[in-house]
Amino acid sequence: MQSDQPRRIGYVLKMYPRFSETFIVSEILAREAAGEEIIIFSLRPPTDARFHPELARVQAPVIPVGRSSSPRRLWETWREGMTDPAIASGLAKSLEDLVAAEADEAEQAIAVAHLAREHGVTHLHAHFASMATTVARLAGRLAGLPYSFTAHAKDIFHRDVEDADLARKLRDAHHAVTISRYNLDHLRERFDHRDVQRLHLVRNGLELERFPYLPRPALRQVPRILAVGRLVEKKGFAHLIEAVAALREQGVPVTAEIVGGGPLHEELAEQITRHGLGEAVHLLGPRTQEEVRLLLQEADLFAAPFVIAEDGNADGLPTVLLEAMASGIPCIAADVTAVGEVVRTGETGWLIRSGDIDELVAALRSAVGAGPDRRRLTDAARALIEAEYASAGQAARLRTLVDAPTDAPTDAPTDAPTDAPTDAPSGDAADGSDDARAVASTAPSSTDPTPAPVLAADAAVTTPRS
């Protein structure tokens, strides 16, 4: 990036805003608070009926990028791009890539390239290694701009992901980041060293100020369990309903509130009725991030009984679990993908085997009866979130990566902590989870948070705990 040109990051997003992707909003807010200028290119119009109030704090302009299935519109966009000599040169050099792309992706890439140059963008960044990164990569080639992307879960593990395509995106990027050590290790094992040498670990961040630590010295006489997520199989809410029924049969009078909407609403409602739990388990429907934050303050326990769905789909590391840990609520979670990086039995909560209802019942019962030990676990959980998931540190790390020269050596592990010495804010969503095709049902056995040796560029952003 040229030193005499102000930094202006162009975010290329499939859809903005999106109700379930508040982790992106938090990232943008943190980068803006750190002084970066952001412009958002939305490739699809939003479809959600509700929006989080945090969106009002985002200063970045949102530029919708149109698309059509008309070959005529593609050629019109092409001709418009040809009026810029730099893009005209990029079109000539990237003809093979453009022809290989889907027509709407090629059209939008040309449009983003033109808009990026028009608005003085110096770097493009996409979230999810799928369509948004396809467009960002092509637009970067056309406009002569570096690009980067964040890989989450579904965009890595789903059976439809083409290795050759993902390898090309990793190889061509100025840098790429992923949100967990689980993902980092998997990608390093899956791809050639040359493809992943600029891949880094940058965890999703929280605005810790929005999630004050409120430990629960004592639970209600009838403890209230909270669970949050889309009503889909991978969330494991059917198992939670079974666990509540079992606990009540054992004389442990718990209740549960499940936040979220989705295709399994009727099925879960029927299950609740079948067990006679109409007064004990409530489906609350979708809620905003602020509403979820208040529910986290009021609940006694948080349950995340994730499972590997029949089609192989599984969660990544849902943001709401991090929010719960930050808020001081004892957490019980199942060990899919990266969950074991934060929830550690006897240290920060209760980690159970995915799909094991008996273990879920036992863990919930243990949490109800843990007494003073709950405070030790929630103290440690909050400390972990402060150390590794503050969005101010996330923003500083992303800025360091943007500033690094493209040809910087990256042979050493690149998984430094993401916290940084700044008071800039952070934040996240009611269900910031990522769909994933899991390659295993459990998290890595090692949960040692101590970072491996890092490059000078990666070590440049480190801080003590806040």
Side-chain angles (χ1 to χ4, degrees), residues 265-402:
H265 183 276
E266 293 303 320
E267 183 176 321
L268 295 174
E270 291 173 4
Q271 184 184 4
I272 291 168
T273 301
R274 187 168 64 251
H275 283 293
L277 296 173
E279 298 301 316
V281 179
H282 302 280
L283 302 176
L284 301 185
R287 298 296 174 94
T288 67
Q289 186 181 13
E290 179 60 19
E291 290 170 328
V292 170
R293 186 182 70 83
L294 295 175
L295 288 169
L296 287 171
Q297 293 179 358
E298 297 167 357
D300 295 295
L301 302 172
F302 185 84
F306 309 122
V307 298
I308 307 298
E310 186 176 348
D311 63 359
N313 199 4
D315 251 309
L317 186 56
T319 304
V320 71
L321 176 59
L322 306 178
E323 294 171 349
M325 295 174 68
S327 300
I329 181 171
C331 294
I332 300 93
D335 60 355
V336 298
T337 59
V339 173
E341 295 178 27
V342 293
V343 178
R344 305 164 188 166
T345 298
E347 297 181 31
T348 60
W350 287 261
L351 185 68
I352 63 170
R353 284 181 296 180
S354 174
D356 193 321
I357 296 177
D358 290 339
E359 275 201 23
L360 176 59
V361 171
L364 288 167
R365 184 164 190 151
S366 174
V368 169
D373 197 44
R374 281 192 301 269
R375 177 62 185 266
R376 177 182 64 83
L377 298 179
T378 59
D379 283 354
R382 172 70 185 200
L384 173 65
I385 300 303
E386 288 182 351
E388 298 189 19
Y389 292 91
S391 66
Q394 174 196 31
R397 179 125 170 82
L398 291 171
R399 182 169 185 155
T400 297
L401 291 171
V402 169

Side-chain angles (χ1 to χ4, degrees), residues 141-440:
R141 290 176 66 86
L142 297 176
L145 294 173
Y147 81 94
S148 55
F149 66 94
T150 300
H152 291 266
K154 182 179 181 180
D155 50 331
I156 300 172
F157 299 117
H158 196 277
R159 64 187 173 193
D160 292 339
V161 174
E162 297 180 5
D163 277 12
D165 178 63
L166 182 51
R168 180 169 55 249
K169 290 170 178 174
L170 288 163
R171 187 169 57 248
D172 291 352
H174 176 275
H175 64 273
V177 302
T178 192
I179 63 167
S180 70
R181 182 184 290 269
Y182 183 94
N183 289 358
L184 187 72
D185 290 345
H186 169 78
L187 290 168
R188 285 175 174 169
E189 292 173 3
R190 178 171 161 186
F191 292 103
D192 187 274
H193 167 74
R194 291 167 294 183
D195 298 330
V196 295
Q197 63 180 346
R198 289 193 291 272
L199 176 65
H200 304 257
L201 170 60
V202 180
R203 303 183 189 277
N204 282 342
L206 296 184
E207 284 188 310
L208 294 174
E209 298 87 351
R210 296 189 57 250
F211 298 93
Y213 181 56
L214 300 172
R216 279 69 168 169
L219 305 186
R220 292 177 177 83
Q221 187 173 359
V222 178
R224 184 192 305 172
I225 303 166
L226 179 66
V228 180
R230 292 191 67 235
L231 304 186
V232 293
E233 184 184 0
K234 66 175 182 172
K235 297 296 182 181
F237 294 146
H239 289 189
L240 177 59
I241 294 169
E242 295 295 325
V244 170
L247 285 166
R248 291 175 71 87
E249 289 176 3
Q250 296 172 13
V252 183
V254 298
T255 64
E257 295 180 332
I258 300 174
V259 173
L264 294 186
H265 183 276
E266 293 303 320
E267 183 176 321
L268 295 174
E270 291 173 4
Q271 184 184 4
I272 291 168
T273 301
R274 187 168 64 251
H275 283 293
L277 296 173
E279 298 301 316
V281 179
H282 302 280
L283 302 176
L284 301 185
R287 298 296 174 94
T288 67
Q289 186 181 13
E290 179 60 19
E291 290 170 328
V292 170
R293 186 182 70 83
L294 295 175
L295 288 169
L296 287 171
Q297 293 179 358
E298 297 167 357
D300 295 295
L301 302 172
F302 185 84
F306 309 122
V307 298
I308 307 298
E310 186 176 348
D311 63 359
N313 199 4
D315 251 309
L317 186 56
T319 304
V320 71
L321 176 59
L322 306 178
E323 294 171 349
M325 295 174 68
S327 300
I329 181 171
C331 294
I332 300 93
D335 60 355
V336 298
T337 59
V339 173
E341 295 178 27
V342 293
V343 178
R344 305 164 188 166
T345 298
E347 297 181 31
T348 60
W350 287 261
L351 185 68
I352 63 170
R353 284 181 296 180
S354 174
D356 193 321
I357 296 177
D358 290 339
E359 275 201 23
L360 176 59
V361 171
L364 288 167
R365 184 164 190 151
S366 174
V368 169
D373 197 44
R374 281 192 301 269
R375 177 62 185 266
R376 177 182 64 83
L377 298 179
T378 59
D379 283 354
R382 172 70 185 200
L384 173 65
I385 300 303
E386 288 182 351
E388 298 189 19
Y389 292 91
S391 66
Q394 174 196 31
R397 179 125 170 82
L398 291 171
R399 182 169 185 155
T400 297
L401 291 171
V402 169
D403 287 344
T406 307
D407 57 352
T410 51
D411 292 336
T414 56
D415 48 353
T418 61
D419 42 329
T422 173
D423 296 325
S426 15
D428 256 285
D431 182 13
S433 59
D434 308 312
D435 292 348
R437 178 117 350 224
V439 293

Side-chain angles (χ1 to χ4, degrees), residues 67-80:
R67 67 180 180 124
S68 69
S69 57
S70 165
R72 176 181 177 181
R73 176 57 187 158
L74 172 58
W75 287 114
E76 289 174 353
T77 305
W78 191 294
R79 283 197 297 269
E80 185 178 358

